[in-house]
Amino acid sequence: MRFVTVRDLRSKSAQVWRKLSEEGDLVITSKGRPIAVVSATDEAHLEQTLRRHRQARAASAVSQLQQQSLKAQRRLSPKQIEAEIQATRKARRR
């Protein structure tokens, strides 16, 4: 996977888009730290790509909650996990 700086994204956008079509995914960095992943798609696969991305993000959030629960030595019930997910989604919409 290729890494591209924010500066290169601004100043060399044509080259970055070519890299994206060649690589499929690019990691955008700022000050040496990853801040975004850009994935190539097309109109025919846009909805499917977005759905998969959202599913992966949701699975990651559940995994993080489970890890936090284990570190805190307390278990969250599935109902509590769902409440946390809903609260996060609600906060993100604001």
Side-chain angles (χ1 to χ4, degrees), residues 20-39:
L20 180 62
S21 65
E22 293 167 7
E23 299 285 328
D25 297 309
L26 296 173
V27 176
I28 307 300
T29 63
S30 177
K31 300 178 184 174
R33 295 184 178 168
I35 59 168
V37 176
V38 179
S39 295

Side-chain angles (χ1 to χ4, degrees), residues 50-66:
L50 287 172
R51 188 177 322 108
R52 286 184 178 162
H53 176 72
R54 290 177 183 133
Q55 288 172 341
R57 197 168 57 196
S60 177
V62 168
S63 177
Q64 287 176 359
L65 281 171
Q66 289 171 336

Side-chain angles (χ1 to χ4, degrees), residues 35-48:
I35 59 168
V37 176
V38 179
S39 295
T41 191
D42 57 30
E43 194 172 345
H45 300 101
L46 178 61
E47 288 301 319
Q48 180 181 16

